[in-house]
Amino acid sequence: MFGRIALSLAVGISTLCAQAIPDRPEKLTFPELTFQVPRVKDYKTSLKNKIPVYISDDSTNAPIIRLSIQWKGGGYLEPVGKEGLAGYFGSLLASSGSTELPIEKQEEILEGLAASITSNCGDTSGSISLQCLEKDFKQVFDIMMNCLTRPAFLQNRLDLSKQRSLQALNQRNNSVTSIAGYQMSHLLRGENHYSVRNSTQASINSITRDDLLAFHSRIMHPSNFIITLTGKFDRKPVLDALNTVIGSLKPNKEAQASPKIPAPEYTRKPGIYVVNSANAPQAMVQWAFPGMRRSDADWHAAVVMNHILGGSFTSRLMAKIRSDEGLTYGIRTSLGTGVNWTGDLTGSSQTSNNTVAYLLRLALAEMEKLKKEPLTTTALQTVKNGLIESFPTQWSKSGRVSMFASEDMNRWPEDWWVNYREKIQAVTPADVQKMANRLLNMNNLIILAVGQADQMEAGDHDRPGQLKDVLPLPLQRLPLRNPMTGQPMPQ
């Protein structure tokens, strides 16, 4: 219904065996591959305390079980001055073991079973996960649940993690990629939003084992959890095991349902921003336009527009700047989904210091072309076919439950993806042009260039044009920030 999906080699061979081998490859024929988007209701159940569980059991799989318990809550819950706490909590939850089993014994058992238990925690969520053979599930599951419900948070492992973090802090200004990451965060969200409050030497040194235990107690509320389960298993005994432990979880007085993630309260200042990294052999260029949320009625047209501009290896920016001009190994754009606040349409590339201005002029010219010149129907259909035909690849047995859990975590509507292909197919050349004009507003653009500032600003003598003349926006140099304190340093 949406074109032919590229079939696997095995399917192709079996098809050829059933027909005479043609004399020309273009004469090969393949059966149409139909694909129906999985429905949430076919994979979702819940434990007795209402924790949702997304299950994909497959008797044809190898006898391996993968279980992940995810939670809402992360860095945005850190007290001011304790930046880094969520990350330590996430990493030590599994790697520090439990009060029921010494970590050395835990590691010995898991190694003997060829099993693994891992954990992590980011800005807004975290997870603890296991992978093991079906026959070992009960033993490995018990170990994981002890880590989750009775974590040890060993002082020596916390100390080691903090030492490594301090060493990493000292390297924040060693690469243009790292510098651009923290500088762009400040340009987009200001100084006070949780997403720009990075760890400092002081915050790392202040974190204690008691802080980890308090963070753990806060997270352990049933409403914060979502579970995914994939592999080969009998459903009833596995769900019984989940119900016995996490399905029986009741919040204690410290546990809290994680609150809504706060949006930044900051007015951006469009402009061209330069950060001097004196020894950088190449520059990092990033830019950002205000974007939209996935709930926007024009979202699918924006997806197509971004794919054409820079969202794929065959995009216009890649063709012009990488293939035609040879200025970079890669250049990409990304349309943020706007999970917790309006997303951004961002882009990035690395190039020589003296070709930053030229690269930007080329990129901006492609954006203006997309705004002014409508696509042909044929060119647009090729792009839409690519998006539609690649769509089933994200719906593997394990991928679909991860997708459902992510949608649940981010409060998107169930079965939002069911009509995705139809909506992509309905996008017209006029829709793409409309979205280009809506999103690629140069008056709202923030450009960040990190590298050797004098060279970036002067431009390339073979392709004249200074950085300040790329757009009629103010150009400003930003100071590097002290890697240990996060504060701006004298320029």
Side-chain angles (χ1 to χ4, degrees):
M1 143 168 106
F2 296 102
R4 186 183 298 118
I5 308 297
L7 298 177
S8 69
L9 180 60
V11 173
I13 291 173
S14 65
T15 302
L16 287 176
C17 290
Q19 64 183 23
I21 298 177
D23 59 350
R24 297 287 303 172
E26 62 268 19
K27 295 180 182 178
L28 289 170
T29 59
F30 300 93
E32 187 76 12
L33 179 62
T34 59
F35 172 76
Q36 297 296 322
V37 179
R39 294 277 187 169
V40 172
K41 66 181 178 62
D42 296 327
Y43 296 86
K44 183 178 182 181
T45 185
S46 59
L47 303 183
K48 56 190 179 184
N49 58 359
K50 308 301 183 184
I51 294 176
V53 184
Y54 296 95
I55 302 178
S56 177
D57 47 343
D58 185 358
S59 60
T60 64
N61 271 349
I64 295 175
I65 294 179
R66 297 176 181 88
L67 171 69
S68 180
I69 300 175
Q70 304 172 35
W71 59 81
K72 304 169 187 175
Y76 79 100
L77 300 177
E78 294 169 340
V80 174
K82 297 286 184 179
E83 291 79 14
L85 173 61
Y88 293 133
F89 168 75
S91 64
L92 293 173
L93 191 64
S95 67
S96 194
S98 70
T99 57
E100 301 299 305
L101 184 68
I103 185 59
E104 295 79 11
K105 185 65 175 175
Q106 174 177 312
E107 291 171 341
E108 179 185 336
I109 293 171
L110 294 176
E111 183 177 358
L113 299 175
S116 65
I117 298 175
T118 58
S119 60
N120 65 81
C121 190
D123 276 354
T124 61
S125 63
S127 68
I128 184 167
S129 307
L130 68 77
Q131 177 174 302
C132 66
L133 293 173
E134 180 186 13
K135 68 181 181 62
D136 301 322
F137 174 74
K138 178 64 168 61
Q139 185 177 8
V140 179
F141 176 70
D142 288 345
I143 294 173
M144 185 181 83
M145 292 311 302
N146 280 331
C147 290
L148 178 61
T149 59
R150 290 178 283 276
F153 294 133
L154 297 175
Q155 185 64 51
N156 62 339
R157 297 219 168 187
L158 173 59
D159 292 340
L160 180 60
S161 295
K162 291 166 70 170
Q163 289 173 17
R164 290 171 175 166
S165 296
L166 290 171
Q167 292 170 356
L169 277 192
N170 208 30
Q171 299 174 12
R172 273 185 179 163
N173 290 336
N174 287 5
S175 76
V176 292
T177 303
S178 173
I179 295 167
Y182 73 69
Q183 293 281 9
M184 184 59 89
S185 293
H186 285 283
L187 290 172
L188 296 182
R189 296 183 291 279
E191 297 289 322
N192 300 316
H193 193 249
Y194 79 86
S195 64
V196 301
R197 293 201 308 263
N198 293 315
S199 301
T200 64
Q201 184 176 22
S203 73
I204 290 171
N205 286 336
S206 75
I207 293 170
T208 66
R209 181 174 182 273
D210 286 342
D211 293 325
L212 296 174
L213 291 169
F215 194 91
H216 173 261
S217 294
R218 176 173 184 169
I219 290 293
M220 294 298 291
H221 193 288
S223 66
N224 292 332
F225 289 107
I226 295 172
I227 298 172
T228 63
L229 177 62
T230 64
K232 182 178 181 180
F233 50 85
D234 292 329
R235 180 176 294 211
K236 185 179 185 306
V238 172
L239 286 175
D240 287 346
L242 286 168
N243 264 316
T244 299
V245 186
I246 193 165
S248 300
L249 177 68
K250 293 182 172 59
N252 59 31
K253 62 180 181 180
E254 291 86 13
Q256 300 176 33
S258 293
K260 182 179 178 181
I261 297 166
E265 297 178 357
Y266 177 70
T267 302
R268 298 176 180 179
K269 299 175 182 178
I272 303 171
Y273 296 89
V274 176
V275 181
N276 185 42
S277 180
N279 299 317
Q282 278 201 322
M284 167 61 76
V285 185
Q286 295 185 353
W287 62 88
F289 295 94
M292 59 200 305
R293 299 199 71 193
R294 203 181 78 179
S295 53
D296 193 294
D298 292 321
W299 172 258
H300 297 83
V303 168
V304 175
M305 187 277 292
N306 175 68
H307 194 79
I308 294 166
L309 176 63
S312 69
F313 191 77
T314 57
S315 70
R316 290 187 175 186
L317 292 182
M318 283 288 283
K320 183 65 177 179
I321 295 171
R322 182 185 189 273
S323 301
D324 295 350
E325 297 288 340
L327 297 179
T328 183
Y329 286 111
I331 181 168
R332 289 191 68 87
T333 60
S334 178
L335 182 65
T337 56
V339 175
N340 300 302
W341 55 83
T342 301
D344 294 303
L345 176 59
T346 60
S348 65
S349 186
Q350 283 190 261
T351 190
S352 299
N353 288 285
N354 63 336
T355 56
V356 166
Y358 185 54
L359 181 148
L360 283 168
R361 290 204 305 275
L362 293 174
L364 296 174
E366 290 299 320
M367 296 177 197
E368 291 296 337
K369 182 179 177 181
L370 198 56
K371 291 162 67 174
K372 295 175 181 177
E373 301 176 14
L375 278 75
T376 66
T377 302
T378 301
L380 177 59
Q381 191 60 53
T382 299
V383 173
K384 294 193 296 187
N385 287 346
L387 287 168
I388 290 167
E389 292 180 359
S390 64
F391 177 73
T393 61
Q394 64 186 305
W395 296 97
S396 66
K397 286 284 187 177
S398 59
R400 64 190 60 176
V401 295
S402 296
M403 175 78 79
F404 295 149
S406 176
E407 297 286 282
D408 190 335
M409 185 77 70
N410 294 322
R411 305 178 305 280
W412 295 118
E414 284 191 357
D415 293 323
W416 184 87
W417 294 96
V418 167
N419 60 2
Y420 173 83
R421 292 172 295 175
E422 287 87 349
K423 291 193 173 183
I424 291 292
Q425 189 67 269
V427 173
T428 67
D431 294 331
V432 173
Q433 192 173 13
K434 171 187 171 184
M435 294 314 300
N437 280 281
R438 171 179 165 182
L439 296 177
L440 303 176
N441 184 341
M442 302 304 168
N443 293 325
N444 296 330
L445 180 58
I446 290 176
I447 296 173
L448 173 65
V450 182
Q452 296 185 37
D454 290 341
Q455 290 188 38
M456 293 190 299
E457 291 175 358
D460 186 355
H461 67 275
D462 292 328
R463 288 160 287 203
Q466 297 182 32
L467 184 58
K468 68 179 179 63
D469 298 323
V470 165
L471 275 177
L473 292 172
L475 186 146
Q476 178 183 344
R477 283 203 186 186
L478 299 176
L480 287 169
R481 289 178 178 256
N482 185 303
M484 308 306 286
T485 68
Q487 295 303 306
M489 298 190 297
Q491 297 194 61

